Amino acid sequence: MNTFFKRIQSKTRLINPLKAFSLDEIPFEIRFDPLTGETGRVFDLPFKPPDMPDIEETIQRSREVFCPFCPEALEKSTPLFPKEIIPEGRIKVGQATLIPNLLPLDAYAGVSVLSEEHYISIEDLTPEKMGDAFSAALLFIQRVVDFDPQVQFFSINWNYMPPSGSSLVHPHLQVNCGYVPTNHHRIQIEGCKRYLKENGNSFWHNFIHAEKECKERYIAEIGSTFWVLSFVPQSFLPDVWCIFPDYYSLIQLSIAEITSFLQGLSRVLRYFGQENIHAFNMSIFSVKEDDNFRINARICPRLLIRAIGNSDRAYLYTLHKEPYTVKPPESLCLKLKEIFNK
Ligand SMILES: [Zn+2]
């Protein structure tokens, strides 16, 4: 059972000025990702995001510069898809508009603008406010598959607010479809194959069962979605992992399954807001055809730039590709469960 949760417990020793220069031991863990085998480090440090993050200034500054997604600019300033892919040029669903991404992230790359609202606070990202943009993303993927059946890999992604890497405050998703998976997507697929070869059955149901049995990181199930804190967090503060246990492709999903996901996502974001986290990255990974894979999403909190101007990513993640987190994911589980059960 616990083969999923492999970890090495270690410690570092120092003479600590914060403890009157006495000998001190600081414990930490090196954990192995249950699916990919990649390592990450888990610390338990007294870190808390600052109470009064200065996001008002960022929002104000963003209103003073040109925003291509605001209603007066969108039609005039954003590109259209070629007619053979999207005859109407842009996909409109309710409040949302999906346009081509000028950044060529993949063979088919779209940007799904949530609505006319330039800024939506993290706590206000309700399923209703996000639903149209996700519906437009699903419609785009379906249109791409109809046009080009060779496409195999899809992802729906989100950089929310500039500390996450977004160049714009105006909320928007990025939808990528192509023939070659990204590194993380590929090692997930390889992990699924390896697990099947070694165990004779699929990773996902066994993993979900193990997380539910262990009760340390399991948050909830909503409709067709399973929610857990990642055993090996990918960000400075722990991230949340969502799995669709019964689906491998976003083209299999209807609005009902996406609504279950958005109900969970909005709860995670409410939790982030309560903890003074006002930026995040999110990716939903999906294949077109591979019954051994499962759609899954990671939602990573990102810290606002601190007074000195540093970001929350440094050499360890950039060059060693080794994530670390300053709080054990298990320490957040109860709070998230409360928000999910409300
Ligand atoms: Zn705007």
Side-chain angles (χ1 to χ4, degrees):
M1 178 66 60
N2 282 327
T3 51
F4 282 113
F5 308 122
K6 222 171 86 186
R7 64 180 102 190
I8 295 166
Q9 287 172 320
S10 192
K11 61 192 173 208
T12 186
R13 288 167 17 116
L14 48 80
I15 308 294
N16 194 341
L18 301 173
K19 294 184 179 173
F21 288 97
S22 60
L23 180 63
D24 197 11
E25 287 185 341
I26 305 178
F28 69 96
E29 288 184 357
I30 298 172
R31 296 188 178 188
F32 297 78
D33 188 274
L35 177 59
T36 66
E38 287 194 322
T39 52
R41 284 155 206 250
V42 177
F43 314 143
D44 190 356
L45 303 178
F47 174 83
K48 226 181 141 1
D51 273 348
M52 291 294 288
D54 197 7
I55 50 169
E56 289 306 322
E57 196 196 316
T58 305
I59 299 158
Q60 189 48 41
R61 220 179 319 132
S62 79
R63 289 191 197 279
E64 289 160 10
V65 296
F66 174 70
C67 174
F69 300 161
C70 272
E72 59 278 12
L74 195 128
E75 298 270 327
K76 281 181 277 176
S77 309
T78 61
L80 294 104
F81 287 101
K83 285 207 167 6
E84 62 273 24
I85 306 173
I86 310 289
E88 63 273 41
R90 302 182 179 106
I91 293 175
K92 287 186 194 291
V93 178
Q95 297 285 305
T97 307
L98 191 143
I99 56 178
N101 196 342
L102 284 169
L103 196 61
L105 289 168
D106 219 324
Y108 304 92
V111 170
S112 191
V113 181
L114 261 69
S115 68
E116 293 187 349
E117 280 185 85
H118 179 73
Y119 169 69
I120 305 175
S121 75
I122 203 161
E123 289 104 333
D124 287 338
L125 287 167
T126 57
E128 296 72 33
K129 293 226 173 188
M130 299 186 283
D132 291 341
F134 279 84
S135 294
L138 291 184
L139 194 57
F140 173 62
I141 292 169
Q142 187 59 58
R143 296 278 200 94
V144 167
V145 170
D146 292 343
F147 174 73
D148 183 353
Q150 300 302 317
V151 166
Q152 290 298 322
F153 306 100
F154 319 124
S155 65
I156 300 178
N157 311 277
W158 197 345
N159 297 322
Y160 173 79
M161 293 297 280
S164 73
S166 178
S167 59
L168 295 167
V169 161
H170 202 126
H172 59 284
L173 310 173
Q174 298 197 18
V175 193
N176 299 329
C177 312
Y179 316 105
V180 181
T182 58
N183 281 315
H184 185 71
H185 203 163
R186 186 189 70 250
I187 61 167
Q188 280 199 357
I189 294 165
E190 288 168 356
C192 294
K193 281 191 189 136
R194 189 171 50 243
Y195 188 90
L196 181 66
K197 200 172 159 207
E198 288 170 5
N199 298 278
N201 47 35
S202 159
F203 166 82
W204 302 96
H205 285 274
N206 289 1
F207 171 75
I208 287 169
H209 181 72
E211 282 287 18
K212 283 167 97 169
E213 286 274 297
C214 141
K215 297 189 179 75
E216 290 182 349
R217 289 165 300 275
Y218 167 58
I219 303 166
E221 277 166 299
I222 301 179
S224 53
T225 57
F226 169 85
W227 297 81
V228 69
L229 279 141
S230 298
F231 178 65
V232 183
Q234 298 297 305
S235 39
F236 191 87
L237 290 169
D239 63 280
V240 174
W241 201 18
C242 170
I243 296 167
F244 290 72
D246 302 320
Y247 300 96
Y248 52 83
S249 183
L250 285 164
I251 55 176
Q252 296 176 299
L253 299 191
S254 69
I255 193 67
E257 288 84 31
I258 272 295
T259 301
S260 300
F261 173 72
L262 295 179
Q263 284 169 353
L265 177 60
S266 65
R267 287 169 166 92
V268 173
L269 301 184
R270 201 184 312 151
Y271 165 77
F272 285 177
Q274 284 179 14
E275 297 293 314
N276 286 316
I277 295 161
H278 298 277
F280 65 89
N281 297 117
M282 182 216 70
S283 285
I284 309 179
F285 301 91
S286 157
V287 294
K288 186 179 162 214
E289 287 158 29
D290 178 358
D291 194 29
N292 195 31
F293 189 82
R294 287 294 178 266
I295 305 170
N296 68 93
R298 271 205 151 106
I299 304 124
C300 288
R302 296 298 305 273
L303 298 181
L304 298 180
I305 307 297
R306 267 86 26 106
I308 195 77
N310 63 322
S311 92
D312 60 0
R313 292 238 160 113
Y315 74 87
L316 200 64
Y317 195 86
T318 308
L319 296 171
H320 289 253
K321 315 290 182 199
E322 180 89 356
Y324 72 88
T325 193
V326 297
K327 292 270 168 232
E330 295 76 14
S331 67
L332 315 181
C333 193
L334 197 63
K335 268 193 185 172
L336 269 155
K337 263 186 167 158
E338 278 172 16
I339 292 176
F340 268 71
N341 291 330
K342 255 181 204 165

